Amino acid sequence: GGRGERSEELPAERGPGAAFHMFVLMEDLLEKLKLLSYEEEALRPHNMRPLSRHYFALPTNPGEQFFMFCTLAAWLITKAGHPFEQPQEYDDPNAVISNVLSELRSF
């Protein structure tokens, strides 16, 4: 199929490369974030380090990864023209995700 027409198959049914698909997606995401100057605009104001090539592909520190995701989501939403308050590290994760999803639905 074309872009956006991926089937919902189980990983074992997708072939031997399926286990590495998440790594490819993460590398693509990182390249897109770099094109948007995420390091200077999203991370530097919060004294955060740049992402590794596989940051979200491996569950290393879920709390830190969740906060990074929320930081990037808030920055991207704001960059898209919808002012969005930067979540704080100790905010309720369910409330943060609810706010992100609500804002995205308003697009």
Side-chain angles (χ1 to χ4, degrees), residues 16-25:
F20 301 101
H21 184 67
M22 190 56 60
F23 295 96
V24 173
L25 287 176

Side-chain angles (χ1 to χ4, degrees), residues 10-103:
L10 298 173
E13 297 172 353
R14 293 189 299 189
F20 301 101
H21 184 67
M22 190 56 60
F23 295 96
V24 173
L25 287 176
M26 180 60 211
E27 289 183 19
D28 288 346
L29 170 67
L30 189 56
E31 290 303 313
K32 291 172 183 172
L33 288 171
K34 286 179 181 178
L35 288 172
L36 294 171
S37 303
Y38 89 103
E39 292 178 21
E40 296 81 20
E41 295 181 20
L43 301 186
R44 191 167 289 147
H46 303 288
N47 294 320
M48 299 172 95
R49 294 179 303 169
L51 301 178
S52 68
R53 288 181 355 170
H54 303 130
Y55 185 80
F56 290 118
L58 298 170
T60 55
N61 183 340
E64 176 186 295
Q65 289 170 306
F66 179 75
F67 182 63
M68 177 64 79
F69 169 79
C70 293
T71 298
L72 292 173
W75 171 70
L76 287 168
I77 290 168
T78 300
K79 193 161 183 73
H82 293 241
F84 192 82
E85 188 176 329
Q86 168 66 39
Q88 299 304 306
E89 192 167 1
Y90 299 104
D91 286 351
D92 174 34
N94 293 319
V96 172
I97 289 299
S98 178
N99 291 341
V100 167
L101 291 174
S102 176
E103 191 63 39

